[in-house]
Amino acid sequence: MQADESRARARPWLVSAGATLAAGAIGFAWNRYPVIVGDGLWMVYGSIPALLAAMSFGPWAGLVAGFLAGLATVTSWGQPVGLTLYTIEAVVVGLASRRALPSFKAAFAADGLFWAVLGIPAVAVYGLYVRDFGPGITWLVIAKYVANASFYLTVALLLTHSVVGRWIAPWRATGSDPLEAMLYRAVALSAILPFLVAQTFFAQIARRDDLADGQRLLVATSRGAAGALDGFFEANLR
């Protein structure tokens, strides 16, 4: 009897460890294929699985998954700013998820606090004094970081509160969501996830071969998630 109870207690830890390492590996692989949206402005989606791990299993999972995913940005960008920020961000979001899966507003509040207190000042110092970008470019880089972070957190939250989150961490789920909310998240994810995969794929085509067709396809796939995201913000952040 005691042996059975010990195995039952150990199972969530094994699942958490395995899923956290998997999230970090997926994040690392995804970060190796950035989407270039402007001169020197990149989007890397590896933070999404890291944030999913943080909200599903807590701050230690966020630390491990965020660090593993962020390692890819060091080789791509030649500096550790992305690694540092995305790792700490995952830890902060994980701290808001210690007892249960966070609500949309709680997760955004924690993430907003991180960027207001640490993220934005760090990027400002890096841009103004380390790289000497000047105020205009520095503010553009700050806006890029904050906008990207909001998008990554949105997708991670949709995953966390969907079947995916309940499957990888069923012991963290509390109660059942209304059918309308579950259907909405499923529809939103069905639009957003294929968009992210297609965008990453076509961005690599455009980057490697500089094909105009690849650029047009990249723009076309970007429009696919716009309606879903508008509905998400209206439904969850009013």
Side-chain angles (χ1 to χ4, degrees):
M1 184 67 177
Q2 290 181 347
D4 292 339
E5 291 178 354
S6 298
R7 283 196 296 269
R9 285 194 299 268
R11 192 175 299 117
W13 286 101
L14 293 174
V15 172
S16 299
T20 296
L21 293 175
I26 293 171
F28 180 90
W30 212 345
N31 279 344
R32 293 289 297 168
Y33 298 97
V35 175
I36 301 176
V37 295
D39 186 14
L41 297 179
W42 295 7
M43 292 186 72
V44 287
Y45 297 131
S47 289
I48 295 173
L51 290 170
L52 172 62
M55 288 186 285
S56 298
F57 308 119
W60 284 106
L63 174 65
V64 173
F67 180 81
L68 292 176
L71 282 175
T73 67
V74 177
T75 57
S76 298
W77 300 351
Q79 42 87 352
V81 174
L83 168 66
T84 304
L85 290 179
Y86 291 141
T87 301
I88 298 175
E89 179 187 24
V91 173
V92 171
V93 172
L95 287 171
S97 315
R98 286 175 297 175
R99 299 185 182 277
L101 297 178
S103 66
F104 288 92
K105 292 181 181 179
F108 269 96
D111 199 52
L113 181 65
F114 160 75
W115 283 103
V117 173
L118 181 61
I120 291 176
V123 176
V125 170
Y126 176 78
L128 291 172
Y129 300 107
V130 178
R131 296 296 300 272
D132 196 23
F133 285 150
I137 297 298
T138 297
W139 279 111
L140 184 61
V141 172
I142 289 172
K144 186 270 295 188
Y145 267 100
V146 174
N148 288 0
S150 298
F151 178 72
Y152 304 153
L153 184 61
T154 297
V155 179
L157 277 164
L158 286 170
L159 289 168
T160 302
H161 288 274
S162 70
V163 167
V164 175
R166 292 178 177 273
W167 178 66
I168 63 175
W171 63 90
R172 300 264 291 169
T174 56
S176 59
D177 292 332
L179 179 61
E180 180 182 359
M182 296 174 64
L183 288 175
Y184 173 78
R185 290 165 192 157
V187 171
L189 287 171
S190 69
I192 294 171
L193 291 180
F195 146 72
L196 294 182
V197 174
Q199 188 186 49
T200 303
F201 174 75
F202 291 128
Q204 303 317 306
I205 294 177
R207 183 185 178 193
R208 183 181 63 246
D209 302 325
D210 195 26
L211 297 177
D213 288 343
Q215 293 285 5
R216 286 196 292 270
L217 287 169
L218 177 60
V219 172
T221 55
S222 299
R223 294 172 180 168
L229 287 175
D230 288 341
F232 163 77
F233 283 111
E234 290 179 4
N236 293 282
L237 298 179
R238 286 181 295 185

